[in-house]
Amino acid sequence: MSKQEKLQGVRGMNDILPADEPLWRRLEDTVADCMRSYGYRRIRTPIVEHTRLFVRGIGEVTDIVEKEMYSFTDALNGEELTLRPESTAGVVRAAIEHNMLYDGPKRLWYTGPMFRHEKPQKGRYRQFHQVGAEALGFAGPDADAEVILLCQRMWDDLGLTGVRLEINSLGQSDERRAHREALIAYFEANQQLLDEDAKRRLYSNPLRILDTKNKAMQSLVEAAPKLTEFLGAESLAHFERLKQLLLSQNVPFTVNPRLVRGLDYYNLTVFEWVADGLTICGGGRYDPLIEMLGGRAAPACGFALGIERVLELMRAAGELQDASSCDVYVVHQGDAAQLAALQAAERLRDAALDVVLHCGGGGFKAQFKRADASGAFLAVVLGDDEVAAGEATLKWLRGADGEVGAGRQARVPLSGLVESVIDAIANDE
Ligand code: HAM
């Protein structure tokens, strides 16, 4: 048989290997605790949704919908489907579908994989993971402040420093319309400075031009009419109150009038958390979305953070220890010892200990090598000798300060093995 080609994963879609698990767990546990402490309840929506949900929700003239969605036709029934590029639209769809908003507002959170066909680079992947929170049915700036405070608490609890908050107000649609007209007039007057993307978006979505990554257009964009100049009294009051609330809680921020976000559903408050030149989290208010997706009009706000980007900051802050280890590694040799070892491992697990039972035979020397590599604190040794005597040998693999091969050992009765192991571990602490 010819040698088979070695298969590789899809570009931009990463395997998350066991060595990264401690860091993921720390993030996931911290996030779950924070969400609970603010009264958010977890929701799990499908990874696949109807394509039209995102077209209608995120907006037809956005990077995500125009060029980044993994869309396909279901070969079995012809439905147009898409792997979710984000979760706000799906969560709102689910809330409407299950009448969740009829008995008052809801605080919901989620985590899971999202899919965008972007050019892969550090911090940008085609399958990435988000944690998000959505406060549905809340109109006031107090809810905006709450989701921002929730973020701040997550950064604090994760040990992250140097995460900066930028905020802006996008006002209401009539205010944006007036601004849009002014922008079109401005860009029309400067047609010769626009790149192809900008020319294409000039009439369909001129606001998105402000989002350009093209350096040659930066000064043009800098001098463009600012939305703040078009905001009415109510929008300004909403924004002012949010700023007061943040100041009252000592959350530093900068107002970035160029912050427009890449999705069309936002109004009033938008915000981003930035660290090391990357946006790790983005969100804001999206009052129009629930009605746009067929629900009874209700205000809402929320955010999503990019897990991979946050993990990178945690790594940089020295949060990564590969804590993969167990309490006990059981080594054994001989048929009778194998039975005793299986039995001993099960009883130790009954006592909530993490136990790795040696599998695959081999001499004691090779087995101890595995035991050392497992990171176990203690080895339980069962050979013919021990089993004949109704005993086990405990061998300390690490000293109190963690150094390998502490070398101590002791024979203990098999009948009291669990207690002896628990004692040995407790005495170490
Ligand atoms: P977004 O700004 O598109 O917002 O994404 C939120 C975060 O996901 C980004 O700040 C970034 O950290 C991460 N992210 C986005 N794309 C990628 C990628 N290709 N690779 C790695 N990380 C990425 C939303 O998704 C909105 N649904 C947020 C929201 C919730 N607004 C209101 N509620």
Side-chain angles (χ1 to χ4, degrees), residues 64 86-88 110 116 118 123-125 128 130 133-134 261 263 265-266 279-284 286 301-306 308-309:
I64 295 180
E86 60 103 56
S87 251
T88 307
Y110 54 85
R116 296 185 194 175
E118 294 194 79
R124 181 174 301 153
Y125 309 104
F128 60 99
Q130 284 185 342
E134 313 293 354
R261 307 276 300 127
L263 307 92
Y265 47 59
Y266 294 107
T279 300
I280 62 164
C281 175
Y286 50 92
C301 64
F303 68 84
L305 64 85
E308 285 82 354
R309 295 184 185 185

PDB file of all heavy atoms in Angstrom, residues 64 86-88 110 116 118 123-125 128 130 133-134 261 263 265-266 279-284 286 301-306 308-309, ligand 1:
ATOM      1  N   ILE A  64     -17.937  41.610   7.057  1.00  0.00           N
ATOM      2  CA  ILE A  64     -18.320  40.248   7.459  1.00  0.00           C
ATOM      3  C   ILE A  64     -19.255  39.638   6.418  1.00  0.00           C
ATOM      4  O   ILE A  64     -18.993  38.549   5.907  1.00  0.00           O
ATOM      5  CB  ILE A  64     -19.004  40.262   8.856  1.00  0.00           C
ATOM      6  CG1 ILE A  64     -18.010  40.713   9.932  1.00  0.00           C
ATOM      7  CG2 ILE A  64     -19.570  38.886   9.190  1.00  0.00           C
ATOM      8  CD1 ILE A  64     -18.573  40.759  11.338  1.00  0.00           C
ATOM      9  N   GLU A  86     -20.591  35.623  14.327  1.00  0.00           N
ATOM     10  CA  GLU A  86     -20.717  36.262  15.638  1.00  0.00           C
ATOM     11  C   GLU A  86     -22.011  35.741  16.238  1.00  0.00           C
ATOM     12  O   GLU A  86     -22.756  35.018  15.561  1.00  0.00           O
ATOM     13  CB  GLU A  86     -20.761  37.788  15.498  1.00  0.00           C
ATOM     14  CG  GLU A  86     -21.908  38.313  14.660  1.00  0.00           C
ATOM     15  CD  GLU A  86     -23.048  38.893  15.458  1.00  0.00           C
ATOM     16  OE1 GLU A  86     -22.789  39.802  16.261  1.00  0.00           O
ATOM     17  OE2 GLU A  86     -24.196  38.430  15.299  1.00  0.00           O
ATOM     18  N   SER A  87     -22.300  36.086  17.489  1.00  0.00           N
ATOM     19  CA  SER A  87     -23.440  35.438  18.149  1.00  0.00           C
ATOM     20  C   SER A  87     -24.590  36.361  18.520  1.00  0.00           C
ATOM     21  O   SER A  87     -25.640  35.876  18.934  1.00  0.00           O
ATOM     22  CB  SER A  87     -22.963  34.721  19.411  1.00  0.00           C
ATOM     23  OG  SER A  87     -23.017  33.340  19.219  1.00  0.00           O
ATOM     24  N   THR A  88     -24.396  37.664  18.393  1.00  0.00           N
ATOM     25  CA  THR A  88     -25.472  38.570  18.816  1.00  0.00           C
ATOM     26  C   THR A  88     -26.758  38.294  18.036  1.00  0.00           C
ATOM     27  O   THR A  88     -27.841  38.172  18.621  1.00  0.00           O
ATOM     28  CB  THR A  88     -25.040  40.033  18.634  1.00  0.00           C
ATOM     29  OG1 THR A  88     -23.790  40.211  19.306  1.00  0.00           O
ATOM     30  CG2 THR A  88     -26.065  40.990  19.207  1.00  0.00           C
ATOM     31  N   TYR A 110     -22.766  33.910  26.492  1.00  0.00           N
ATOM     32  CA  TYR A 110     -22.453  32.734  25.673  1.00  0.00           C
ATOM     33  C   TYR A 110     -20.959  32.658  25.440  1.00  0.00           C
ATOM     34  O   TYR A 110     -20.229  33.646  25.621  1.00  0.00           O
ATOM     35  CB  TYR A 110     -23.162  32.818  24.308  1.00  0.00           C
ATOM     36  CG  TYR A 110     -22.868  34.118  23.586  1.00  0.00           C
ATOM     37  CD1 TYR A 110     -21.725  34.275  22.799  1.00  0.00           C
ATOM     38  CD2 TYR A 110     -23.708  35.216  23.736  1.00  0.00           C
ATOM     39  CE1 TYR A 110     -21.431  35.471  22.181  1.00  0.00           C
ATOM     40  CE2 TYR A 110     -23.429  36.422  23.116  1.00  0.00           C
ATOM     41  CZ  TYR A 110     -22.287  36.541  22.349  1.00  0.00           C
ATOM     42  OH  TYR A 110     -21.997  37.746  21.753  1.00  0.00           O
ATOM     43  N   ARG A 116     -14.945  33.364  10.513  1.00  0.00           N
ATOM     44  CA  ARG A 116     -14.861  34.459   9.539  1.00  0.00           C
ATOM     45  C   ARG A 116     -13.708  34.157   8.598  1.00  0.00           C
ATOM     46  O   ARG A 116     -12.607  33.847   9.058  1.00  0.00           O
ATOM     47  CB  ARG A 116     -14.611  35.809  10.239  1.00  0.00           C
ATOM     48  CG  ARG A 116     -15.752  36.221  11.139  1.00  0.00           C
ATOM     49  CD  ARG A 116     -15.554  37.605  11.738  1.00  0.00           C
ATOM     50  NE  ARG A 116     -16.494  37.809  12.843  1.00  0.00           N
ATOM     51  CZ  ARG A 116     -16.524  38.872  13.629  1.00  0.00           C
ATOM     52  NH1 ARG A 116     -15.659  39.853  13.437  1.00  0.00           N
ATOM     53  NH2 ARG A 116     -17.414  38.972  14.604  1.00  0.00           N
ATOM     54  N   GLU A 118     -11.169  35.440   7.184  1.00  0.00           N
ATOM     55  CA  GLU A 118     -10.244  36.572   7.156  1.00  0.00           C
ATOM     56  C   GLU A 118      -8.865  36.041   6.810  1.00  0.00           C
ATOM     57  O   GLU A 118      -8.621  34.834   6.844  1.00  0.00           O
ATOM     58  CB  GLU A 118     -10.212  37.249   8.528  1.00  0.00           C
ATOM     59  CG  GLU A 118     -11.532  37.888   8.889  1.00  0.00           C
ATOM     60  CD  GLU A 118     -11.395  38.826  10.074  1.00  0.00           C
ATOM     61  OE1 GLU A 118     -10.919  39.955   9.866  1.00  0.00           O
ATOM     62  OE2 GLU A 118     -11.750  38.427  11.176  1.00  0.00           O
ATOM     63  N   GLY A 123      -3.498  36.646  16.142  1.00  0.00           N
ATOM     64  CA  GLY A 123      -4.706  37.233  16.711  1.00  0.00           C
ATOM     65  C   GLY A 123      -5.883  37.276  15.765  1.00  0.00           C
ATOM     66  O   GLY A 123      -6.935  37.792  16.111  1.00  0.00           O
ATOM     67  N   ARG A 124      -5.691  36.778  14.550  1.00  0.00           N
ATOM     68  CA  ARG A 124      -6.824  36.755  13.603  1.00  0.00           C
ATOM     69  C   ARG A 124      -6.910  35.369  12.962  1.00  0.00           C
ATOM     70  O   ARG A 124      -5.975  34.938  12.293  1.00  0.00           O
ATOM     71  CB  ARG A 124      -6.652  37.828  12.526  1.00  0.00           C
ATOM     72  CG  ARG A 124      -7.832  37.839  11.557  1.00  0.00           C
ATOM     73  CD  ARG A 124      -7.770  38.972  10.581  1.00  0.00           C
ATOM     74  NE  ARG A 124      -7.758  40.265  11.236  1.00  0.00           N
ATOM     75  CZ  ARG A 124      -7.213  41.357  10.727  1.00  0.00           C
ATOM     76  NH1 ARG A 124      -6.615  41.306   9.559  1.00  0.00           N
ATOM     77  NH2 ARG A 124      -7.252  42.493  11.378  1.00  0.00           N
ATOM     78  N   TYR A 125      -8.004  34.713  13.200  1.00  0.00           N
ATOM     79  CA  TYR A 125      -8.156  33.334  12.740  1.00  0.00           C
ATOM     80  C   TYR A 125      -9.474  33.177  12.004  1.00  0.00           C
ATOM     81  O   TYR A 125     -10.321  34.067  12.031  1.00  0.00           O
ATOM     82  CB  TYR A 125      -8.086  32.383  13.950  1.00  0.00           C
ATOM     83  CG  TYR A 125      -6.880  32.663  14.795  1.00  0.00           C
ATOM     84  CD1 TYR A 125      -6.986  33.335  16.011  1.00  0.00           C
ATOM     85  CD2 TYR A 125      -5.600  32.334  14.337  1.00  0.00           C
ATOM     86  CE1 TYR A 125      -5.865  33.647  16.762  1.00  0.00           C
ATOM     87  CE2 TYR A 125      -4.466  32.641  15.071  1.00  0.00           C
ATOM     88  CZ  TYR A 125      -4.607  33.300  16.286  1.00  0.00           C
ATOM     89  OH  TYR A 125      -3.500  33.626  17.011  1.00  0.00           O
ATOM     90  N   PHE A 128     -12.380  31.235  15.443  1.00  0.00           N
ATOM     91  CA  PHE A 128     -11.901  31.817  16.688  1.00  0.00           C
ATOM     92  C   PHE A 128     -13.030  31.678  17.699  1.00  0.00           C
ATOM     93  O   PHE A 128     -14.121  31.213  17.368  1.00  0.00           O
ATOM     94  CB  PHE A 128     -11.490  33.280  16.479  1.00  0.00           C
ATOM     95  CG  PHE A 128     -12.620  34.161  15.998  1.00  0.00           C
ATOM     96  CD1 PHE A 128     -13.317  34.969  16.888  1.00  0.00           C
ATOM     97  CD2 PHE A 128     -12.986  34.175  14.662  1.00  0.00           C
ATOM     98  CE1 PHE A 128     -14.361  35.782  16.455  1.00  0.00           C
ATOM     99  CE2 PHE A 128     -14.044  34.972  14.226  1.00  0.00           C
ATOM    100  CZ  PHE A 128     -14.727  35.776  15.115  1.00  0.00           C
ATOM    101  N   GLN A 130     -15.314  33.338  20.977  1.00  0.00           N
ATOM    102  CA  GLN A 130     -15.737  34.554  21.682  1.00  0.00           C
ATOM    103  C   GLN A 130     -16.435  34.187  22.982  1.00  0.00           C
ATOM    104  O   GLN A 130     -17.028  33.113  23.109  1.00  0.00           O
ATOM    105  CB  GLN A 130     -16.757  35.341  20.847  1.00  0.00           C
ATOM    106  CG  GLN A 130     -16.189  36.111  19.679  1.00  0.00           C
ATOM    107  CD  GLN A 130     -17.256  36.959  18.990  1.00  0.00           C
ATOM    108  OE1 GLN A 130     -18.452  36.733  19.157  1.00  0.00           O
ATOM    109  NE2 GLN A 130     -16.819  37.933  18.202  1.00  0.00           N
ATOM    110  N   ALA A 133     -21.796  38.847  26.077  1.00  0.00           N
ATOM    111  CA  ALA A 133     -22.943  39.055  26.969  1.00  0.00           C
ATOM    112  C   ALA A 133     -23.920  39.978  26.260  1.00  0.00           C
ATOM    113  O   ALA A 133     -23.502  40.910  25.568  1.00  0.00           O
ATOM    114  CB  ALA A 133     -22.483  39.672  28.282  1.00  0.00           C
ATOM    115  N   GLU A 134     -25.189  39.715  26.407  1.00  0.00           N
ATOM    116  CA  GLU A 134     -26.214  40.559  25.791  1.00  0.00           C
ATOM    117  C   GLU A 134     -27.248  40.916  26.859  1.00  0.00           C
ATOM    118  O   GLU A 134     -27.808  40.015  27.496  1.00  0.00           O
ATOM    119  CB  GLU A 134     -26.907  39.833  24.624  1.00  0.00           C
ATOM    120  CG  GLU A 134     -25.974  39.127  23.628  1.00  0.00           C
ATOM    121  CD  GLU A 134     -25.089  40.075  22.801  1.00  0.00           C
ATOM    122  OE1 GLU A 134     -25.249  41.309  22.891  1.00  0.00           O
ATOM    123  OE2 GLU A 134     -24.209  39.557  22.075  1.00  0.00           O
ATOM    124  N   ARG A 261     -17.137  50.643  14.700  1.00  0.00           N
ATOM    125  CA  ARG A 261     -17.447  49.212  14.751  1.00  0.00           C
ATOM    126  C   ARG A 261     -17.749  48.660  13.357  1.00  0.00           C
ATOM    127  O   ARG A 261     -18.074  49.384  12.439  1.00  0.00           O
ATOM    128  CB  ARG A 261     -18.610  48.911  15.707  1.00  0.00           C
ATOM    129  CG  ARG A 261     -18.417  49.482  17.089  1.00  0.00           C
ATOM    130  CD  ARG A 261     -17.597  48.595  17.992  1.00  0.00           C
ATOM    131  NE  ARG A 261     -18.183  47.300  18.177  1.00  0.00           N
ATOM    132  CZ  ARG A 261     -17.521  46.147  17.969  1.00  0.00           C
ATOM    133  NH1 ARG A 261     -16.270  46.155  17.573  1.00  0.00           N
ATOM    134  NH2 ARG A 261     -18.104  44.994  18.178  1.00  0.00           N
ATOM    135  N   LEU A 263     -20.052  46.363  12.442  1.00  0.00           N
ATOM    136  CA  LEU A 263     -21.366  45.751  12.230  1.00  0.00           C
ATOM    137  C   LEU A 263     -22.399  46.860  12.241  1.00  0.00           C
ATOM    138  O   LEU A 263     -22.249  47.855  12.945  1.00  0.00           O
ATOM    139  CB  LEU A 263     -21.671  44.721  13.328  1.00  0.00           C
ATOM    140  CG  LEU A 263     -20.595  43.626  13.553  1.00  0.00           C
ATOM    141  CD1 LEU A 263     -19.597  44.027  14.618  1.00  0.00           C
ATOM    142  CD2 LEU A 263     -21.235  42.300  13.933  1.00  0.00           C
ATOM    143  N   TYR A 265     -25.593  47.005  13.281  1.00  0.00           N
ATOM    144  CA  TYR A 265     -26.750  47.064  14.174  1.00  0.00           C
ATOM    145  C   TYR A 265     -26.635  48.066  15.319  1.00  0.00           C
ATOM    146  O   TYR A 265     -27.568  48.228  16.094  1.00  0.00           O
ATOM    147  CB  TYR A 265     -27.141  45.680  14.708  1.00  0.00           C
ATOM    148  CG  TYR A 265     -26.040  44.785  15.263  1.00  0.00           C
ATOM    149  CD1 TYR A 265     -25.234  45.161  16.327  1.00  0.00           C
ATOM    150  CD2 TYR A 265     -25.865  43.505  14.726  1.00  0.00           C
ATOM    151  CE1 TYR A 265     -24.274  44.296  16.845  1.00  0.00           C
ATOM    152  CE2 TYR A 265     -24.900  42.632  15.238  1.00  0.00           C
ATOM    153  CZ  TYR A 265     -24.108  43.036  16.306  1.00  0.00           C
ATOM    154  OH  TYR A 265     -23.167  42.184  16.798  1.00  0.00           O
ATOM    155  N   TYR A 266     -25.520  48.749  15.445  1.00  0.00           N
ATOM    156  CA  TYR A 266     -25.321  49.598  16.618  1.00  0.00           C
ATOM    157  C   TYR A 266     -26.007  50.953  16.523  1.00  0.00           C
ATOM    158  O   TYR A 266     -26.189  51.515  15.453  1.00  0.00           O
ATOM    159  CB  TYR A 266     -23.829  49.836  16.856  1.00  0.00           C
ATOM    160  CG  TYR A 266     -23.079  48.588  17.236  1.00  0.00           C
ATOM    161  CD1 TYR A 266     -22.212  47.975  16.345  1.00  0.00           C
ATOM    162  CD2 TYR A 266     -23.235  48.023  18.499  1.00  0.00           C
ATOM    163  CE1 TYR A 266     -21.525  46.828  16.702  1.00  0.00           C
ATOM    164  CE2 TYR A 266     -22.551  46.873  18.863  1.00  0.00           C
ATOM    165  CZ  TYR A 266     -21.695  46.279  17.963  1.00  0.00           C
ATOM    166  OH  TYR A 266     -21.012  45.143  18.316  1.00  0.00           O
ATOM    167  N   THR A 279      -7.724  44.906  19.190  1.00  0.00           N
ATOM    168  CA  THR A 279      -8.991  45.023  19.904  1.00  0.00           C
ATOM    169  C   THR A 279      -9.327  43.663  20.488  1.00  0.00           C
ATOM    170  O   THR A 279      -9.506  42.702  19.743  1.00  0.00           O
ATOM    171  CB  THR A 279     -10.103  45.466  18.939  1.00  0.00           C
ATOM    172  OG1 THR A 279      -9.723  46.728  18.389  1.00  0.00           O
ATOM    173  CG2 THR A 279     -11.432  45.619  19.659  1.00  0.00           C
ATOM    174  N   ILE A 280      -9.386  43.592  21.804  1.00  0.00           N
ATOM    175  CA  ILE A 280      -9.668  42.280  22.407  1.00  0.00           C
ATOM    176  C   ILE A 280     -11.159  42.093  22.647  1.00  0.00           C
ATOM    177  O   ILE A 280     -11.625  40.985  22.864  1.00  0.00           O
ATOM    178  CB  ILE A 280      -8.886  42.047  23.719  1.00  0.00           C
ATOM    179  CG1 ILE A 280      -9.258  43.079  24.793  1.00  0.00           C
ATOM    180  CG2 ILE A 280      -7.394  42.067  23.467  1.00  0.00           C
ATOM    181  CD1 ILE A 280      -8.814  42.646  26.183  1.00  0.00           C
ATOM    182  N   CYS A 281     -11.904  43.212  22.611  1.00  0.00           N
ATOM    183  CA  CYS A 281     -13.324  43.117  22.944  1.00  0.00           C
ATOM    184  C   CYS A 281     -14.060  44.303  22.333  1.00  0.00           C
ATOM    185  O   CYS A 281     -13.535  45.414  22.325  1.00  0.00           O
ATOM    186  CB  CYS A 281     -13.443  43.150  24.468  1.00  0.00           C
ATOM    187  SG  CYS A 281     -15.129  43.184  25.096  1.00  0.00           S
ATOM    188  N   GLY A 282     -15.244  44.058  21.807  1.00  0.00           N
ATOM    189  CA  GLY A 282     -16.011  45.158  21.235  1.00  0.00           C
ATOM    190  C   GLY A 282     -17.485  44.990  21.533  1.00  0.00           C
ATOM    191  O   GLY A 282     -17.971  43.864  21.718  1.00  0.00           O
ATOM    192  N   GLY A 283     -18.177  46.107  21.597  1.00  0.00           N
ATOM    193  CA  GLY A 283     -19.612  45.990  21.855  1.00  0.00           C
ATOM    194  C   GLY A 283     -20.302  47.329  21.794  1.00  0.00           C
ATOM    195  O   GLY A 283     -19.738  48.314  21.302  1.00  0.00           O
ATOM    196  N   GLY A 284     -21.509  47.352  22.302  1.00  0.00           N
ATOM    197  CA  GLY A 284     -22.273  48.584  22.304  1.00  0.00           C
ATOM    198  C   GLY A 284     -23.756  48.314  22.342  1.00  0.00           C
ATOM    199  O   GLY A 284     -24.201  47.178  22.569  1.00  0.00           O
ATOM    200  N   TYR A 286     -27.492  48.185  20.664  1.00  0.00           N
ATOM    201  CA  TYR A 286     -28.053  47.850  19.343  1.00  0.00           C
ATOM    202  C   TYR A 286     -29.577  47.820  19.421  1.00  0.00           C
ATOM    203  O   TYR A 286     -30.225  46.800  19.148  1.00  0.00           O
ATOM    204  CB  TYR A 286     -27.466  46.538  18.813  1.00  0.00           C
ATOM    205  CG  TYR A 286     -27.512  45.369  19.773  1.00  0.00           C
ATOM    206  CD1 TYR A 286     -28.588  44.482  19.772  1.00  0.00           C
ATOM    207  CD2 TYR A 286     -26.492  45.147  20.694  1.00  0.00           C
ATOM    208  CE1 TYR A 286     -28.652  43.419  20.652  1.00  0.00           C
ATOM    209  CE2 TYR A 286     -26.540  44.085  21.582  1.00  0.00           C
ATOM    210  CZ  TYR A 286     -27.628  43.228  21.554  1.00  0.00           C
ATOM    211  OH  TYR A 286     -27.688  42.169  22.432  1.00  0.00           O
ATOM    212  N   CYS A 301     -28.054  45.974  24.669  1.00  0.00           N
ATOM    213  CA  CYS A 301     -26.623  46.248  24.482  1.00  0.00           C
ATOM    214  C   CYS A 301     -25.823  45.032  24.906  1.00  0.00           C
ATOM    215  O   CYS A 301     -26.359  44.125  25.552  1.00  0.00           O
ATOM    216  CB  CYS A 301     -26.192  47.488  25.259  1.00  0.00           C
ATOM    217  SG  CYS A 301     -26.347  47.330  27.034  1.00  0.00           S
ATOM    218  N   GLY A 302     -24.554  45.000  24.521  1.00  0.00           N
ATOM    219  CA  GLY A 302     -23.734  43.839  24.866  1.00  0.00           C
ATOM    220  C   GLY A 302     -22.329  43.985  24.318  1.00  0.00           C
ATOM    221  O   GLY A 302     -21.939  45.048  23.834  1.00  0.00           O
ATOM    222  N   PHE A 303     -21.574  42.896  24.425  1.00  0.00           N
ATOM    223  CA  PHE A 303     -20.192  42.909  23.926  1.00  0.00           C
ATOM    224  C   PHE A 303     -19.762  41.486  23.631  1.00  0.00           C
ATOM    225  O   PHE A 303     -20.425  40.518  24.056  1.00  0.00           O
ATOM    226  CB  PHE A 303     -19.241  43.502  24.978  1.00  0.00           C
ATOM    227  CG  PHE A 303     -19.092  42.627  26.200  1.00  0.00           C
ATOM    228  CD1 PHE A 303     -18.191  41.572  26.225  1.00  0.00           C
ATOM    229  CD2 PHE A 303     -19.881  42.843  27.325  1.00  0.00           C
ATOM    230  CE1 PHE A 303     -18.078  40.744  27.333  1.00  0.00           C
ATOM    231  CE2 PHE A 303     -19.776  42.026  28.441  1.00  0.00           C
ATOM    232  CZ  PHE A 303     -18.865  40.971  28.438  1.00  0.00           C
ATOM    233  N   ALA A 304     -18.655  41.359  22.907  1.00  0.00           N
ATOM    234  CA  ALA A 304     -18.002  40.050  22.777  1.00  0.00           C
ATOM    235  C   ALA A 304     -16.500  40.255  22.818  1.00  0.00           C
ATOM    236  O   ALA A 304     -15.976  41.228  22.274  1.00  0.00           O
ATOM    237  CB  ALA A 304     -18.411  39.369  21.472  1.00  0.00           C
ATOM    238  N   LEU A 305     -15.827  39.342  23.498  1.00  0.00           N
ATOM    239  CA  LEU A 305     -14.358  39.394  23.534  1.00  0.00           C
ATOM    240  C   LEU A 305     -13.814  38.222  22.725  1.00  0.00           C
ATOM    241  O   LEU A 305     -14.458  37.177  22.607  1.00  0.00           O
ATOM    242  CB  LEU A 305     -13.851  39.358  24.974  1.00  0.00           C
ATOM    243  CG  LEU A 305     -14.117  38.112  25.828  1.00  0.00           C
ATOM    244  CD1 LEU A 305     -13.068  37.032  25.600  1.00  0.00           C
ATOM    245  CD2 LEU A 305     -14.121  38.510  27.302  1.00  0.00           C
ATOM    246  N   GLY A 306     -12.632  38.417  22.162  1.00  0.00           N
ATOM    247  CA  GLY A 306     -11.965  37.359  21.408  1.00  0.00           C
ATOM    248  C   GLY A 306     -11.095  36.551  22.360  1.00  0.00           C
ATOM    249  O   GLY A 306     -10.110  37.074  22.896  1.00  0.00           O
ATOM    250  N   GLU A 308      -8.948  34.078  21.949  1.00  0.00           N
ATOM    251  CA  GLU A 308      -7.535  33.888  21.595  1.00  0.00           C
ATOM    252  C   GLU A 308      -6.718  35.135  21.912  1.00  0.00           C
ATOM    253  O   GLU A 308      -5.573  35.042  22.349  1.00  0.00           O
ATOM    254  CB  GLU A 308      -7.388  33.540  20.107  1.00  0.00           C
ATOM    255  CG  GLU A 308      -7.785  32.104  19.744  1.00  0.00           C
ATOM    256  CD  GLU A 308      -9.294  31.907  19.567  1.00  0.00           C
ATOM    257  OE1 GLU A 308     -10.059  32.867  19.830  1.00  0.00           O
ATOM    258  OE2 GLU A 308      -9.697  30.810  19.173  1.00  0.00           O
ATOM    259  N   ARG A 309      -7.312  36.305  21.688  1.00  0.00           N
ATOM    260  CA  ARG A 309      -6.572  37.560  21.946  1.00  0.00           C
ATOM    261  C   ARG A 309      -6.381  37.770  23.442  1.00  0.00           C
ATOM    262  O   ARG A 309      -5.331  38.243  23.882  1.00  0.00           O
ATOM    263  CB  ARG A 309      -7.316  38.743  21.322  1.00  0.00           C
ATOM    264  CG  ARG A 309      -7.337  38.620  19.804  1.00  0.00           C
ATOM    265  CD  ARG A 309      -7.969  39.804  19.139  1.00  0.00           C
ATOM    266  NE  ARG A 309      -8.066  39.551  17.697  1.00  0.00           N
ATOM    267  CZ  ARG A 309      -8.479  40.416  16.813  1.00  0.00           C
ATOM    268  NH1 ARG A 309      -8.853  41.622  17.201  1.00  0.00           N
ATOM    269  NH2 ARG A 309      -8.535  40.103  15.543  1.00  0.00           N
TER     270      ARG A 309
HETATM  271  P1  HAM B   1     -16.668  42.036  16.816  1.00  0.00           P
HETATM  272  O1  HAM B   1     -15.965  43.319  17.085  1.00  0.00           O
HETATM  273  O2  HAM B   1     -16.877  41.660  15.411  1.00  0.00           O
HETATM  274  O3  HAM B   1     -18.047  42.138  17.582  1.00  0.00           O
HETATM  275  O4  HAM B   1     -15.894  40.861  17.537  1.00  0.00           O
HETATM  276  C1  HAM B   1     -15.616  40.911  18.919  1.00  0.00           C
HETATM  277  C2  HAM B   1     -14.202  40.443  19.191  1.00  0.00           C
HETATM  278  O5  HAM B   1     -13.969  39.146  18.625  1.00  0.00           O
HETATM  279  C3  HAM B   1     -13.120  41.306  18.576  1.00  0.00           C
HETATM  280  O6  HAM B   1     -12.859  42.421  19.386  1.00  0.00           O
HETATM  281  C4  HAM B   1     -11.939  40.356  18.543  1.00  0.00           C
HETATM  282  O7  HAM B   1     -11.296  40.317  19.806  1.00  0.00           O
HETATM  283  C5  HAM B   1     -12.595  39.020  18.284  1.00  0.00           C
HETATM  284  N1  HAM B   1     -12.450  38.655  16.862  1.00  0.00           N
HETATM  285  C6  HAM B   1     -13.179  39.086  15.823  1.00  0.00           C
HETATM  286  N2  HAM B   1     -12.748  38.522  14.677  1.00  0.00           N
HETATM  287  C7  HAM B   1     -11.720  37.718  15.007  1.00  0.00           C
HETATM  288  C8  HAM B   1     -10.855  36.839  14.276  1.00  0.00           C
HETATM  289  N3  HAM B   1     -10.976  36.683  12.956  1.00  0.00           N
HETATM  290  N4  HAM B   1      -9.898  36.164  14.956  1.00  0.00           N
HETATM  291  C9  HAM B   1      -9.771  36.309  16.283  1.00  0.00           C
HETATM  292  N5  HAM B   1     -10.557  37.094  17.033  1.00  0.00           N
HETATM  293  C10 HAM B   1     -11.524  37.794  16.406  1.00  0.00           C
HETATM  294  C11 HAM B   1     -18.993  41.173  17.591  1.00  0.00           C
HETATM  295  O8  HAM B   1     -18.813  40.033  17.217  1.00  0.00           O
HETATM  296  C12 HAM B   1     -20.295  41.602  18.234  1.00  0.00           C
HETATM  297  N6  HAM B   1     -21.228  40.468  18.177  1.00  0.00           N
HETATM  298  C13 HAM B   1     -20.061  42.077  19.654  1.00  0.00           C
HETATM  299  C14 HAM B   1     -21.330  42.475  20.347  1.00  0.00           C
HETATM  300  C15 HAM B   1     -22.072  41.731  21.178  1.00  0.00           C
HETATM  301  N7  HAM B   1     -21.925  43.655  20.228  1.00  0.00           N
HETATM  302  C16 HAM B   1     -23.028  43.660  20.973  1.00  0.00           C
HETATM  303  N8  HAM B   1     -23.131  42.492  21.536  1.00  0.00           N
END
